[in-house]
Amino acid sequence: MSEIEEVDVIVLGMGVGGEEVAGRLAAAGLNVIGIDNTLVGGECPYWGCIPTKMMVRAAGALEEARRVPGLAGASTVTPDWSPVAKRIRDEATDNWNDKVAVDRFESKGGRFVRGTGEIVGAGLVRVGPQLYAATRALVIATGTKAVVPPVDGLAGTPYWTNREAVEAAALPKSLLVLGGGAIGCEFAQVFARFGVPVTIIEGSERVLAMEEPESSAVAAKALEANGVRIRSGVRAATVSHDGAEFDVRLSDGSHVTGEKLLVATGRAAKLEGVERLGIDRASRFIPTDEWMRAADKTWAVGDVTGNGVFTHMAFYEADVAVRDILGQGGPAADYRAKPRVTFIDPEIGAVGMTEKQARDAGIDVKVGYLPLSSTTRGWIHGPGGDGFIKLIADGSRKVLVGATTAGPAGGEMIGAMSVAVHAAVPIETLRSTIWAYPTFHRGFGQALSDL
């Protein structure tokens, strides 16, 4: 056993949140060690946000080309996956090599240790035979992993998670998607637009079950228009693989088959060793206070906190933790206006509460709703312009507590409503705002009038 090496800060997990914390603390002059057993940057740049949005962009270009008839003449579209796979490999991931990210961190003064870090006590982390002790802060940013449900027969089959789907060099002949959340819907639409027969299996009665019912309806309509078959309200009962394709028996007794099976049933936090810090291992996530403190001299940021499996949440929490560790003050974490985007077409952005969540919280709910086609820009857009604006207000406080925007720029439109919810902008102030014409977001003015 090597001697204990003392440092100021240990960052366990170097995904986007961990890398942000480690880099900023190192740049501030602290002695920082960042530990990870995989790629610096984590899921987002290699198997998540970046490569999947390249896939979405490519699939969207195909769909736009198919919309030329009726708008601008005639078009012929021939899908080809090879440019997509090459761009992901060469531009997004450096063929899944993190040298650039490691160099970026170490150029700020940090030290990277590649290996599996084991929490062995307060501020103590072991990597192989070496034990490190953090004298100022231990930051846990270990992220999440794909949840593989305990479906009879699934274990041991060559199923995909998001990682295998992103790394695919060639299109499958057919695809089954287990899970109709954001990840499942995004992959389903991408592969369908490239000509792959896709079936989504979703246990809830609707896809995007955590979002507004209107979001589910828009998503289902769009997916089905692209040829995606949606089996909702049923679950996978058994899975088998004969060496060539998957056979999934559903809870209603029917069967679906496909060459590949993508498991997209959620994410689970990596919490190994947290019980040694007095944190309940049975918890799904690490609870923190408003400064991201999880225990004495211990902070947690990113997916492990359970505040949203999103890169922007990891960056947000990293900023709060860094300022607290450095004693810089500033605003504590505030989760009233958590934004999220499902990158299908139409794109669906949301922030804050859904209508159901607001009613369940006992809020005096007022709803403003507008089909995007009712806006001049939506009418101009024509094909591909489906969507809506839905605003959720607290009638007593006269402020917005949630919003959803679906359409060709749904993820961008939600930005304005994120500010409104976060800053508790009075509804009357929003109503008196000048909304540019003709834009999609001009519909906010009309939806506000509907409250």
Side-chain angles (χ1 to χ4, degrees), residues 289-340:
D289 67 9
E290 70 274 22
W291 293 102
M292 313 316 302
R293 301 167 187 156
D296 184 39
K297 295 185 179 180
T298 303
W299 287 256
V301 302
D303 295 2
V304 295
T305 67
N307 293 313
V309 187
F310 306 112
T311 292
H312 49 272
M313 293 306 301
F315 276 125
Y316 176 76
E317 293 180 343
D319 177 66
V320 174
V322 166
R323 287 187 284 105
D324 192 44
I325 292 167
L326 295 177
Q328 295 175 339
D334 179 350
Y335 297 108
R336 290 174 301 149
K338 292 190 291 186
R340 53 203 182 272

Tab-separated table of all heavy atoms in Angstrom, residues 289-340:
chain	number	residue	atom	x	y	z
A	289	ASP	N	-27.847	20.009	0.115
A	289	ASP	CA	-28.519	21.255	0.468
A	289	ASP	C	-28.427	22.208	-0.725
A	289	ASP	O	-27.993	21.825	-1.820
A	289	ASP	CB	-27.936	21.857	1.749
A	289	ASP	CG	-26.489	22.334	1.596
A	289	ASP	OD1	-25.967	22.367	0.456
A	289	ASP	OD2	-25.868	22.684	2.616
A	290	GLU	N	-28.811	23.456	-0.503
A	290	GLU	CA	-28.858	24.398	-1.622
A	290	GLU	C	-27.480	24.809	-2.125
A	290	GLU	O	-27.356	25.481	-3.154
A	290	GLU	CB	-29.676	25.643	-1.235
A	290	GLU	CG	-29.028	26.555	-0.208
A	290	GLU	CD	-29.302	26.122	1.227
A	290	GLU	OE1	-29.625	24.941	1.458
A	290	GLU	OE2	-29.187	26.989	2.131
A	291	TRP	N	-26.421	24.402	-1.406
A	291	TRP	CA	-25.048	24.691	-1.847
A	291	TRP	C	-24.362	23.435	-2.382
A	291	TRP	O	-23.147	23.406	-2.515
A	291	TRP	CB	-24.240	25.311	-0.699
A	291	TRP	CG	-24.754	26.668	-0.333
A	291	TRP	CD1	-25.539	27.011	0.720
A	291	TRP	CD2	-24.538	27.863	-1.082
A	291	TRP	NE1	-25.828	28.349	0.694
A	291	TRP	CE2	-25.229	28.899	-0.404
A	291	TRP	CE3	-23.842	28.172	-2.251
A	291	TRP	CZ2	-25.237	30.219	-0.871
A	291	TRP	CZ3	-23.844	29.480	-2.718
A	291	TRP	CH2	-24.530	30.490	-2.024
A	292	MET	N	-25.135	22.419	-2.638
A	292	MET	CA	-24.652	21.141	-3.173
A	292	MET	C	-23.830	20.362	-2.160
A	292	MET	O	-23.093	19.434	-2.516
A	292	MET	CB	-23.848	21.312	-4.483
A	292	MET	CG	-24.496	22.215	-5.525
A	292	MET	SD	-26.280	21.932	-5.743
A	292	MET	CE	-26.337	20.207	-6.181
A	293	ARG	N	-23.962	20.709	-0.857
A	293	ARG	CA	-23.246	19.974	0.188
A	293	ARG	C	-24.001	18.693	0.511
A	293	ARG	O	-25.195	18.709	0.777
A	293	ARG	CB	-23.136	20.830	1.449
A	293	ARG	CG	-22.419	22.158	1.256
A	293	ARG	CD	-22.638	23.053	2.464
A	293	ARG	NE	-22.117	24.399	2.250
A	293	ARG	CZ	-22.551	25.466	2.911
A	293	ARG	NH1	-23.509	25.329	3.822
A	293	ARG	NH2	-22.033	26.656	2.664
A	294	ALA	N	-23.261	17.576	0.507
A	294	ALA	CA	-23.865	16.273	0.768
A	294	ALA	C	-23.471	15.720	2.132
A	294	ALA	O	-24.186	14.904	2.706
A	294	ALA	CB	-23.464	15.283	-0.316
A	295	ALA	N	-22.319	16.128	2.629
A	295	ALA	CA	-21.807	15.700	3.933
A	295	ALA	C	-20.668	16.657	4.295
A	295	ALA	O	-20.366	17.587	3.545
A	295	ALA	CB	-21.305	14.248	3.875
A	296	ASP	N	-20.049	16.444	5.430
A	296	ASP	CA	-18.956	17.322	5.856
A	296	ASP	C	-17.843	17.316	4.819
A	296	ASP	O	-17.311	16.256	4.456
A	296	ASP	CB	-18.411	16.849	7.208
A	296	ASP	CG	-17.333	17.781	7.732
A	296	ASP	OD1	-17.486	19.010	7.574
A	296	ASP	OD2	-16.333	17.274	8.285
A	297	LYS	N	-17.504	18.489	4.310
A	297	LYS	CA	-16.459	18.663	3.297
A	297	LYS	C	-16.710	17.813	2.048
A	297	LYS	O	-15.770	17.454	1.328
A	297	LYS	CB	-15.070	18.336	3.874
A	297	LYS	CG	-14.606	19.282	4.976
A	297	LYS	CD	-13.175	18.962	5.400
A	297	LYS	CE	-12.695	19.914	6.467
A	297	LYS	NZ	-11.303	19.622	6.904
A	298	THR	N	-17.979	17.548	1.784
A	298	THR	CA	-18.347	16.734	0.623
A	298	THR	C	-19.475	17.415	-0.141
A	298	THR	O	-20.490	17.796	0.442
A	298	THR	CB	-18.813	15.330	1.052
A	298	THR	OG1	-17.779	14.701	1.809
A	298	THR	CG2	-19.128	14.472	-0.174
A	299	TRP	N	-19.279	17.544	-1.444
A	299	TRP	CA	-20.282	18.133	-2.333
A	299	TRP	C	-20.649	17.099	-3.402
A	299	TRP	O	-19.862	16.200	-3.702
A	299	TRP	CB	-19.734	19.384	-3.013
A	299	TRP	CG	-19.609	20.590	-2.133
A	299	TRP	CD1	-20.421	21.682	-2.110
A	299	TRP	CD2	-18.595	20.851	-1.131
A	299	TRP	NE1	-20.000	22.602	-1.170
A	299	TRP	CE2	-18.869	22.120	-0.555
A	299	TRP	CE3	-17.491	20.132	-0.674
A	299	TRP	CZ2	-18.097	22.678	0.445
A	299	TRP	CZ3	-16.708	20.688	0.332
A	299	TRP	CH2	-17.006	21.940	0.880
A	300	ALA	N	-21.821	17.239	-3.982
A	300	ALA	CA	-22.235	16.378	-5.093
A	300	ALA	C	-22.847	17.256	-6.173
A	300	ALA	O	-23.595	18.209	-5.870
A	300	ALA	CB	-23.243	15.325	-4.633
A	301	VAL	N	-22.529	16.958	-7.431
A	301	VAL	CA	-23.063	17.738	-8.551
A	301	VAL	C	-23.433	16.806	-9.700
A	301	VAL	O	-22.893	15.714	-9.846
A	301	VAL	CB	-22.057	18.797	-9.058
A	301	VAL	CG1	-21.654	19.751	-7.946
A	301	VAL	CG2	-20.818	18.146	-9.667
A	302	GLY	N	-24.355	17.279	-10.508
A	302	GLY	CA	-24.704	16.541	-11.716
A	302	GLY	C	-25.762	15.478	-11.482
A	302	GLY	O	-26.563	15.550	-10.547
A	303	ASP	N	-25.752	14.472	-12.340
A	303	ASP	CA	-26.801	13.455	-12.350
A	303	ASP	C	-27.036	12.795	-10.987
A	303	ASP	O	-28.160	12.410	-10.663
A	303	ASP	CB	-26.458	12.357	-13.355
A	303	ASP	CG	-26.435	12.851	-14.796
A	303	ASP	OD1	-26.651	14.059	-15.018
A	303	ASP	OD2	-26.182	12.031	-15.690
A	304	VAL	N	-25.968	12.656	-10.192
A	304	VAL	CA	-26.107	11.926	-8.926
A	304	VAL	C	-27.016	12.632	-7.924
A	304	VAL	O	-27.465	12.022	-6.956
A	304	VAL	CB	-24.736	11.668	-8.252
A	304	VAL	CG1	-23.883	10.752	-9.085
A	304	VAL	CG2	-24.011	12.970	-7.954
A	305	THR	N	-27.308	13.913	-8.147
A	305	THR	CA	-28.148	14.642	-7.195
A	305	THR	C	-29.636	14.444	-7.462
A	305	THR	O	-30.467	14.818	-6.634
A	305	THR	CB	-27.844	16.149	-7.228
A	305	THR	OG1	-28.260	16.683	-8.496
A	305	THR	CG2	-26.360	16.416	-7.012
A	306	GLY	N	-29.973	13.892	-8.626
A	306	GLY	CA	-31.372	13.638	-8.943
A	306	GLY	C	-32.157	14.859	-9.367
A	306	GLY	O	-33.390	14.828	-9.410
A	307	ASN	N	-31.472	15.938	-9.720
A	307	ASN	CA	-32.167	17.165	-10.114
A	307	ASN	C	-32.307	17.310	-11.623
A	307	ASN	O	-32.570	18.401	-12.127
A	307	ASN	CB	-31.443	18.383	-9.527
A	307	ASN	CG	-31.547	18.434	-8.026
A	307	ASN	OD1	-32.623	18.264	-7.466
A	307	ASN	ND2	-30.424	18.630	-7.354
A	308	GLY	N	-32.144	16.210	-12.331
A	308	GLY	CA	-32.286	16.241	-13.787
A	308	GLY	C	-31.047	15.703	-14.458
A	308	GLY	O	-29.939	16.148	-14.174
A	309	VAL	N	-31.239	14.726	-15.339
A	309	VAL	CA	-30.097	14.111	-16.031
A	309	VAL	C	-29.801	14.942	-17.275
A	309	VAL	O	-30.015	14.512	-18.414
A	309	VAL	CB	-30.403	12.643	-16.384
A	309	VAL	CG1	-29.170	11.949	-16.932
A	309	VAL	CG2	-30.899	11.897	-15.150
A	310	PHE	N	-29.318	16.150	-17.032
A	310	PHE	CA	-29.048	17.084	-18.118
A	310	PHE	C	-27.680	17.732	-17.915
A	310	PHE	O	-27.303	18.082	-16.788
A	310	PHE	CB	-30.103	18.201	-18.153
A	310	PHE	CG	-31.523	17.706	-18.221
A	310	PHE	CD1	-32.376	17.883	-17.140
A	310	PHE	CD2	-31.995	17.076	-19.359
A	310	PHE	CE1	-33.681	17.446	-17.191
A	310	PHE	CE2	-33.313	16.629	-19.415
A	310	PHE	CZ	-34.159	16.814	-18.342
A	311	THR	N	-26.986	17.952	-19.011
A	311	THR	CA	-25.689	18.618	-18.949
A	311	THR	C	-25.813	20.009	-18.346
A	311	THR	O	-24.966	20.434	-17.541
A	311	THR	CB	-25.076	18.700	-20.363
A	311	THR	OG1	-24.743	17.377	-20.794
A	311	THR	CG2	-23.822	19.555	-20.376
A	312	HIS	N	-26.864	20.734	-18.713
A	312	HIS	CA	-26.987	22.102	-18.189
A	312	HIS	C	-27.201	22.106	-16.680
A	312	HIS	O	-26.770	23.039	-15.999
A	312	HIS	CB	-28.101	22.876	-18.898
A	312	HIS	CG	-29.407	22.169	-19.010
A	312	HIS	ND1	-29.722	21.343	-20.059
A	312	HIS	CD2	-30.507	22.179	-18.208
A	312	HIS	CE1	-30.950	20.881	-19.905
A	312	HIS	NE2	-31.449	21.357	-18.780
A	313	MET	N	-27.835	21.060	-16.138
A	313	MET	CA	-27.979	20.995	-14.690
A	313	MET	C	-26.638	20.714	-14.029
A	313	MET	O	-26.334	21.246	-12.948
A	313	MET	CB	-28.988	19.916	-14.303
A	313	MET	CG	-30.415	20.213	-14.732
A	313	MET	SD	-31.029	21.823	-14.174
A	313	MET	CE	-30.861	21.655	-12.405
A	314	ALA	N	-25.807	19.876	-14.668
A	314	ALA	CA	-24.482	19.585	-14.113
A	314	ALA	C	-23.627	20.847	-14.076
A	314	ALA	O	-22.935	21.121	-13.084
A	314	ALA	CB	-23.797	18.496	-14.941
A	315	PHE	N	-23.655	21.628	-15.146
A	315	PHE	CA	-22.903	22.883	-15.162
A	315	PHE	C	-23.426	23.843	-14.094
A	315	PHE	O	-22.647	24.517	-13.403
A	315	PHE	CB	-23.003	23.545	-16.539
A	315	PHE	CG	-22.013	23.034	-17.550
A	315	PHE	CD1	-22.451	22.549	-18.770
A	315	PHE	CD2	-20.658	23.048	-17.294
A	315	PHE	CE1	-21.551	22.077	-19.717
A	315	PHE	CE2	-19.740	22.579	-18.231
A	315	PHE	CZ	-20.194	22.092	-19.448
A	316	TYR	N	-24.743	23.907	-13.966
A	316	TYR	CA	-25.356	24.814	-12.996
A	316	TYR	C	-24.933	24.450	-11.576
A	316	TYR	O	-24.506	25.313	-10.791
A	316	TYR	CB	-26.878	24.733	-13.140
A	316	TYR	CG	-27.650	25.548	-12.129
A	316	TYR	CD1	-27.735	26.933	-12.251
A	316	TYR	CD2	-28.304	24.937	-11.064
A	316	TYR	CE1	-28.458	27.681	-11.325
A	316	TYR	CE2	-29.023	25.679	-10.140
A	316	TYR	CZ	-29.095	27.046	-10.273
A	316	TYR	OH	-29.795	27.792	-9.364
A	317	GLU	N	-25.028	23.164	-11.245
A	317	GLU	CA	-24.663	22.732	-9.901
A	317	GLU	C	-23.166	22.838	-9.663
A	317	GLU	O	-22.719	23.125	-8.544
A	317	GLU	CB	-25.157	21.306	-9.669
A	317	GLU	CG	-26.679	21.228	-9.641
A	317	GLU	CD	-27.214	19.829	-9.406
A	317	GLU	OE1	-26.454	18.852	-9.583
A	317	GLU	OE2	-28.391	19.697	-9.036
A	318	ALA	N	-22.379	22.620	-10.704
A	318	ALA	CA	-20.926	22.780	-10.573
A	318	ALA	C	-20.583	24.213	-10.184
A	318	ALA	O	-19.716	24.453	-9.324
A	318	ALA	CB	-20.235	22.399	-11.885
A	319	ASP	N	-21.259	25.164	-10.790
A	319	ASP	CA	-21.000	26.566	-10.475
A	319	ASP	C	-21.328	26.874	-9.020
A	319	ASP	O	-20.562	27.554	-8.322
A	319	ASP	CB	-21.822	27.465	-11.398
A	319	ASP	CG	-21.658	28.929	-11.068
A	319	ASP	OD1	-20.549	29.465	-11.236
A	319	ASP	OD2	-22.648	29.559	-10.627
A	320	VAL	N	-22.468	26.364	-8.537
A	320	VAL	CA	-22.854	26.587	-7.137
A	320	VAL	C	-21.806	25.989	-6.198
A	320	VAL	O	-21.376	26.625	-5.226
A	320	VAL	CB	-24.240	25.982	-6.856
A	320	VAL	CG1	-24.569	26.074	-5.362
A	320	VAL	CG2	-25.314	26.684	-7.674
A	321	ALA	N	-21.375	24.750	-6.485
A	321	ALA	CA	-20.407	24.075	-5.621
A	321	ALA	C	-19.057	24.793	-5.631
A	321	ALA	O	-18.433	24.974	-4.572
A	321	ALA	CB	-20.234	22.625	-6.067
A	322	VAL	N	-18.600	25.189	-6.790
A	322	VAL	CA	-17.307	25.878	-6.881
A	322	VAL	C	-17.327	27.163	-6.056
A	322	VAL	O	-16.393	27.437	-5.283
A	322	VAL	CB	-16.955	26.186	-8.353
A	322	VAL	CG1	-15.809	27.192	-8.435
A	322	VAL	CG2	-16.567	24.907	-9.086
A	323	ARG	N	-18.382	27.941	-6.211
A	323	ARG	CA	-18.452	29.190	-5.460
A	323	ARG	C	-18.499	28.934	-3.961
A	323	ARG	O	-17.923	29.692	-3.165
A	323	ARG	CB	-19.672	29.999	-5.911
A	323	ARG	CG	-19.513	30.620	-7.291
A	323	ARG	CD	-20.655	31.557	-7.659
A	323	ARG	NE	-21.875	30.856	-8.034
A	323	ARG	CZ	-22.943	30.742	-7.285
A	323	ARG	NH1	-22.954	31.277	-6.051
A	323	ARG	NH2	-24.026	30.109	-7.696
A	324	ASP	N	-19.155	27.860	-3.550
A	324	ASP	CA	-19.221	27.548	-2.128
A	324	ASP	C	-17.870	27.090	-1.601
A	324	ASP	O	-17.428	27.518	-0.524
A	324	ASP	CB	-20.272	26.467	-1.882
A	324	ASP	CG	-20.594	26.291	-0.409
A	324	ASP	OD1	-20.753	27.317	0.292
A	324	ASP	OD2	-20.672	25.138	0.051
A	325	ILE	N	-17.188	26.243	-2.334
A	325	ILE	CA	-15.880	25.735	-1.910
A	325	ILE	C	-14.870	26.872	-1.801
A	325	ILE	O	-14.041	26.908	-0.879
A	325	ILE	CB	-15.379	24.650	-2.886
A	325	ILE	CG1	-16.259	23.406	-2.771
A	325	ILE	CG2	-13.918	24.287	-2.621
A	325	ILE	CD1	-16.055	22.397	-3.883
A	326	LEU	N	-14.963	27.826	-2.722
A	326	LEU	CA	-14.033	28.955	-2.713
A	326	LEU	C	-14.501	30.101	-1.811
A	326	LEU	O	-13.797	31.104	-1.675
A	326	LEU	CB	-13.830	29.485	-4.137
A	326	LEU	CG	-13.152	28.526	-5.127
A	326	LEU	CD1	-13.089	29.146	-6.518
A	326	LEU	CD2	-11.736	28.167	-4.645
A	327	GLY	N	-15.686	29.959	-1.229
A	327	GLY	CA	-16.196	31.000	-0.351
A	327	GLY	C	-16.575	32.272	-1.070
A	327	GLY	O	-16.506	33.364	-0.498
A	328	GLN	N	-17.024	32.142	-2.311
A	328	GLN	CA	-17.321	33.324	-3.115
A	328	GLN	C	-18.754	33.822	-2.966
A	328	GLN	O	-19.074	34.917	-3.423
A	328	GLN	CB	-17.038	33.023	-4.597
A	328	GLN	CG	-15.575	32.764	-4.897
A	328	GLN	CD	-15.346	32.349	-6.345
A	328	GLN	OE1	-16.268	31.876	-7.023
A	328	GLN	NE2	-14.124	32.512	-6.813
A	329	GLY	N	-19.620	33.031	-2.355
A	329	GLY	CA	-21.003	33.459	-2.197
A	329	GLY	C	-21.774	33.417	-3.499
A	329	GLY	O	-21.487	32.618	-4.385
A	330	GLY	N	-22.742	34.312	-3.618
A	330	GLY	CA	-23.593	34.313	-4.792
A	330	GLY	C	-24.842	33.483	-4.558
A	330	GLY	O	-25.054	32.948	-3.468
A	331	PRO	N	-25.678	33.345	-5.574
A	331	PRO	CA	-26.957	32.646	-5.380
A	331	PRO	C	-26.787	31.152	-5.164
A	331	PRO	O	-25.947	30.498	-5.802
A	331	PRO	CB	-27.715	32.925	-6.681
A	331	PRO	CG	-26.648	33.212	-7.689
A	331	PRO	CD	-25.554	33.899	-6.933
A	332	ALA	N	-27.590	30.592	-4.264
A	332	ALA	CA	-27.633	29.148	-4.054
A	332	ALA	C	-28.483	28.513	-5.144
A	332	ALA	O	-29.106	29.203	-5.962
A	332	ALA	CB	-28.210	28.843	-2.674
A	333	ALA	N	-28.528	27.189	-5.160
A	333	ALA	CA	-29.287	26.477	-6.182
A	333	ALA	C	-30.779	26.746	-6.047
A	333	ALA	O	-31.328	26.748	-4.944
A	333	ALA	CB	-29.012	24.981	-6.093
A	334	ASP	N	-31.431	26.965	-7.154
A	334	ASP	CA	-32.864	27.241	-7.211
A	334	ASP	C	-33.414	26.452	-8.395
A	334	ASP	O	-33.043	26.711	-9.542
A	334	ASP	CB	-33.092	28.737	-7.408
A	334	ASP	CG	-34.571	29.112	-7.496
A	334	ASP	OD1	-35.416	28.204	-7.591
A	334	ASP	OD2	-34.869	30.322	-7.488
A	335	TYR	N	-34.292	25.500	-8.118
A	335	TYR	CA	-34.741	24.574	-9.160
A	335	TYR	C	-36.153	24.853	-9.665
A	335	TYR	O	-36.758	23.998	-10.298
A	335	TYR	CB	-34.656	23.140	-8.626
A	335	TYR	CG	-33.251	22.706	-8.294
A	335	TYR	CD1	-32.845	22.557	-6.963
A	335	TYR	CD2	-32.326	22.456	-9.282
A	335	TYR	CE1	-31.554	22.168	-6.652
A	335	TYR	CE2	-31.031	22.067	-8.990
A	335	TYR	CZ	-30.654	21.928	-7.672
A	335	TYR	OH	-29.368	21.543	-7.372
A	336	ARG	N	-36.666	26.039	-9.440
A	336	ARG	CA	-38.027	26.339	-9.904
A	336	ARG	C	-38.130	26.337	-11.424
A	336	ARG	O	-39.205	26.088	-11.969
A	336	ARG	CB	-38.463	27.713	-9.392
A	336	ARG	CG	-38.724	27.787	-7.894
A	336	ARG	CD	-38.993	29.226	-7.493
A	336	ARG	NE	-37.861	30.091	-7.835
A	336	ARG	CZ	-37.982	31.370	-8.166
A	336	ARG	NH1	-39.171	31.934	-8.227
A	336	ARG	NH2	-36.904	32.092	-8.441
A	337	ALA	N	-37.051	26.639	-12.093
A	337	ALA	CA	-37.113	26.836	-13.544
A	337	ALA	C	-36.148	25.902	-14.266
A	337	ALA	O	-35.351	26.336	-15.090
A	337	ALA	CB	-36.819	28.295	-13.892
A	338	LYS	N	-36.251	24.609	-13.979
A	338	LYS	CA	-35.388	23.643	-14.667
A	338	LYS	C	-35.866	23.447	-16.105
A	338	LYS	O	-36.981	22.983	-16.326
A	338	LYS	CB	-35.397	22.298	-13.934
A	338	LYS	CG	-34.730	22.324	-12.578
A	338	LYS	CD	-34.549	20.917	-12.015
A	338	LYS	CE	-35.851	20.281	-11.636
A	338	LYS	NZ	-35.652	18.976	-10.947
A	339	PRO	N	-35.025	23.787	-17.089
A	339	PRO	CA	-35.435	23.597	-18.478
A	339	PRO	C	-35.045	22.212	-18.990
A	339	PRO	O	-34.111	21.588	-18.495
A	339	PRO	CB	-34.640	24.677	-19.214
A	339	PRO	CG	-33.381	24.807	-18.420
A	339	PRO	CD	-33.742	24.497	-16.983
A	340	ARG	N	-35.779	21.733	-19.984
A	340	ARG	CA	-35.485	20.444	-20.603
A	340	ARG	C	-36.012	20.473	-22.040
A	340	ARG	O	-37.014	21.136	-22.329
A	340	ARG	CB	-36.144	19.314	-19.818
A	340	ARG	CG	-37.635	19.503	-19.596
A	340	ARG	CD	-38.168	18.742	-18.404
A	340	ARG	NE	-39.622	18.912	-18.252
A	340	ARG	CZ	-40.190	19.907	-17.563
A	340	ARG	NH1	-39.429	20.814	-16.958
A	340	ARG	NH2	-41.509	19.991	-17.456
